[in-house]
Structures are given as structure tokens and as C-alpha cells.
Amino acid sequence: MPTLLTTTLLAGPLALASPAAADPSPSNVKAQVTALQSKLDTLNDQYNTANSNLGKVKAQQTAVNKQVSATQTQLTTLGQKTASYAISAYKGGDVSMMSSMITSGSADTFLDQLTTLDALTGKTRDQLAALRSAKAKLIAQQAQVNSLATAAQTLVTTLNTSKSGYTTQLAALKKLLPPGSLDSSGGGADGPSPDAPQAPVGSSTTVKYAYAQLGAHYVFAKSGPYQVGFDCSGLTLAAYRQVGISLPHSAHEQYQGNPHITRSMVQAGDLVFFNNFGHVGLAISNSQVIHAPEEGENVKISSIDSMGFVGAARPN
């Protein structure tokens, strides 16, 4: 039987800020934009984690449903066999039994036949009892998994609704800023800017991939390609996909599921985490990281220490 996934409900939607009502100066609005983008980044990763959990629960639903169906099929088949044995043993009452004695040739042979038949029906009854018990346990497990699935789906829906609210408010705040106030990091829909930095000679496949995405748009819940865009964990997921390593689409899960390393051990290709493990980037050295920042920005290079380092991991 599959082990039930324990789904821990993540923190609920963060309260929306009041958009620059008191002080609409560019510096104040930009500060609000930065704060809101940080919250949105956290919310995005909560959504990705919740969506990943939902996928796992749905897979468990499928597995349990198949087991319930298979057990029911076995019950039906054995039930039919038991009925067949009973009919053979008792149909016709004494006349049938006497006929069996006559055709068997002797009372001893007849008794042997009855003993064998009784053993067969007894064994089948035991099997039926075991299957009924197994089915009852599966039905209980099925109810638990269905409950988890409902809770996981509700969380995903709630987080998605909250994300829409944040995105709307962020767009309103950005309209209050002068053009060019926020870094878009070059690039665009078709490919990196011609003057975008190139990966150093000898770089790993993951690092080369990250460099090739510089300038791609940040797009929530996406993992490329360049023309589609990335969110933070989508970029690292896509980079490691190039070398056959599968990472979950969640910064939290990428940290939890890989060996941890210290700040001093960070090297090109490692996963580096920020914002209470709600943001992740790919290290290109011990001091810099390529990451998909947040709504309205593009994939870029940043200093690791300027972003509030909280941890690192090295997939293998």
C-alpha cells in the first residue's frame, strides 16, 4: 500500500499593502515595489510547493484507486468460485450425494472427495475474509487520500487567487514610477542581448545553460525555454534538466531534497537560496549567482551576499 503523504499547509496569503497612499514619492513607491516583490516571490514558491504536493497526492489517489479496483476484482472472482463449490457440494441434497457415492466406487473415495471439497471451500473462505479486510483498509486509506487531495487543491486555489491580487497591486505601484526605474536586465522574447556575458571557458553544462538564459523574462511557474520565461526554481530546474537531474519546481523542495553545503563551499553550479528559502539561483562562482528575480525583471547576475544568503545545496 502507498504511504500517505503528509501535506503541511503552508502559511496563508500575506496581507496586501496599501499602494503608496501616504507617500507617493518615487523612492517610497520603489521601496513598496521591492517589498511587495519579495512577498510575491515567497508566495510564488508557496504555490509551486503546494502544486508539487498536489501532484504527489493525486498520484497516490491513482495508486489507491487501482488497488481498490484490483481487490474488488479478486473478491468477485473468489466469490464466484465459492458459490460454484457450494453448488457442487450441496445441489440436489441427499440424492446427489448418494449418486456421488455410487459413482465413486466406494464410501472411502467419496469421503476423500468431500474432504478435499471442504478444504477447497475453507481455503477460499479464508482468502475472501483476508481480501475483505484488505479492501476495508484500502477504502479507509482512499478516504484519507481524497481528504488530502481536497485540502491540497484548496491551498493551490487560494494561493493562486492571492498571487493574482499581489500581481494586480504590483502593476498599479509600478505605474507610479518613472520609466526605467526598475531593472529589466536586457534581453527579451527572442534571445539574450548581444552584449550579454558569456559563460567562462570550461564551465559546466548547467552554468552554460544559465548564462544562455540571461535576459529571459521572469514568468511565474514557468521553466523555459527562453521565449517562455522562468521563475526562480524553474530556471534551476531547467539547468539541471540538461544533465539528467530532476529537481522539483519549488525552491523549498530543491533545498530540502539535496545535500546542503556551507557558504564557503559554494562553487559554480550549486543552488543558492535566499528569502527564507523562497528564492533560488544557480551559482556561477563563490560570489555570484544567475537567477530569475521577480515579477517585472529578467534573468540576471547578482551578488550572492547582497541578496541575503540563507543556504546552499549541491545536487548529485
Side-chain angles (χ1 to χ4, degrees), residues 138-163:
L138 282 169
I139 292 297
Q141 189 177 35
Q142 189 180 48
Q144 287 180 286
V145 173
N146 289 343
S147 178
L148 282 174
T150 299
Q153 183 62 68
T154 298
L155 179 59
V156 167
T157 301
T158 300
L159 290 171
N160 194 43
T161 300
S162 296
K163 176 200 168 297

Side-chain angles (χ1 to χ4, degrees), residues 1-7 60 64 140-146 148:
M1 296 181 191
T3 301
L4 284 175
L5 175 71
T6 300
T7 303
Q60 288 185 333
V64 172
Q141 189 177 35
Q142 189 180 48
Q144 287 180 286
V145 173
N146 289 343
L148 282 174

Side-chain angles (χ1 to χ4, degrees), residues 264-289:
S264 62
M265 294 170 64
V266 171
Q267 62 187 31
D270 290 334
L271 301 176
V272 186
F273 299 85
F274 312 93
N275 194 20
N276 195 29
F277 300 100
H279 185 68
V280 62
L282 188 81
I284 55 174
S285 69
N286 182 259
S287 60
Q288 290 185 308
V289 64

Side-chain angles (χ1 to χ4, degrees), residues 88-112:
S88 297
Y90 301 110
K91 183 179 180 182
D94 292 339
V95 174
S96 177
M97 292 172 69
M98 182 62 70
S99 174
S100 296
M101 286 184 68
I102 293 171
T103 57
S104 66
S106 71
D108 288 342
T109 301
F110 174 64
L111 289 174
D112 288 342

Side-chain angles (χ1 to χ4, degrees), residues 63-121:
V64 172
N65 289 342
K66 285 182 178 179
Q67 286 186 309
V68 169
S69 178
T71 302
Q72 182 57 55
T73 298
Q74 288 178 293
L75 276 169
T76 301
T77 301
L78 278 174
Q80 291 171 343
K81 285 184 179 179
T82 301
S84 176
Y85 291 153
I87 291 171
S88 297
Y90 301 110
K91 183 179 180 182
D94 292 339
V95 174
S96 177
M97 292 172 69
M98 182 62 70
S99 174
S100 296
M101 286 184 68
I102 293 171
T103 57
S104 66
S106 71
D108 288 342
T109 301
F110 174 64
L111 289 174
D112 288 342
Q113 291 173 344
L114 284 182
T115 300
T116 300
L117 185 60
D118 187 60
L120 286 172
T121 55

